[in-house]
Amino acid sequence: MARSSASTSTAVTSSGASGASGAASNGFKPQHSVWGVIKDQDFHPLTLKHQRDLENLFLSGTIIQDFYFWQANLGGYCMANMIHKEVAWAGGSYDLERRMVEGAPHPGRRKKKRGLS
């Protein structure tokens, strides 16, 4: 009986991720992608919405060269070229980079609860 409970604690769930005790025992660490630009030799991530949009395009196999977006810390309107891996804006261009980092992805913005008014 104790043997079956030990095997279920490390079982892989239907989503493909191990349970908390299984994650520590098998060395699996969750990873997610982060899209950003290389500016002044440093990696600067894009806003979460733009990261999610670029990642969805990347995962669907749709590589585009004219993804327009607003990024205040890059000077306003920008255009990402996924083919040449660069982000162009009025003041120049930066290298576009997709990195895999450890940890769970950011959950994103929460929807506001609408009360009964």
Side-chain angles (χ1 to χ4, degrees):
M1 188 74 159
R3 184 175 183 181
S4 66
S5 65
S7 65
T8 58
S9 67
T10 59
V12 175
T13 62
S14 62
S15 65
S18 297
S21 61
S25 65
N26 68 10
F28 173 76
K29 294 181 180 178
Q31 291 186 333
H32 69 282
S33 64
V34 175
W35 289 84
V37 297
I38 304 299
K39 178 180 175 184
D40 301 326
Q41 305 295 324
D42 293 324
F43 182 76
H44 296 272
L46 299 177
T47 59
L48 293 174
K49 180 187 182 314
H50 306 321
Q51 286 188 43
R52 188 174 54 247
D53 292 343
L54 286 169
E55 185 66 12
N56 288 340
L57 288 168
F58 180 80
L59 292 176
S60 70
T62 307
I63 307 297
I64 61 173
Q65 61 185 22
D66 57 352
F67 176 77
Y68 294 94
F69 61 97
W70 172 268
Q71 184 83 16
N73 66 345
L74 295 180
Y77 281 105
C78 302
M79 183 191 73
N81 184 333
M82 295 175 74
I83 296 170
H84 297 292
K85 297 179 181 149
E86 68 179 0
V87 173
W89 62 288
S93 67
Y94 298 113
D95 292 332
L96 176 66
E97 189 171 307
R98 178 183 184 255
R99 291 188 175 178
M100 295 302 291
V101 297
E102 288 185 2
H106 191 281
R109 298 176 82 177
R110 295 184 182 192
K111 292 185 178 179
K112 293 182 180 179
K113 294 182 180 178
R114 300 199 181 244
L116 300 172
S117 298

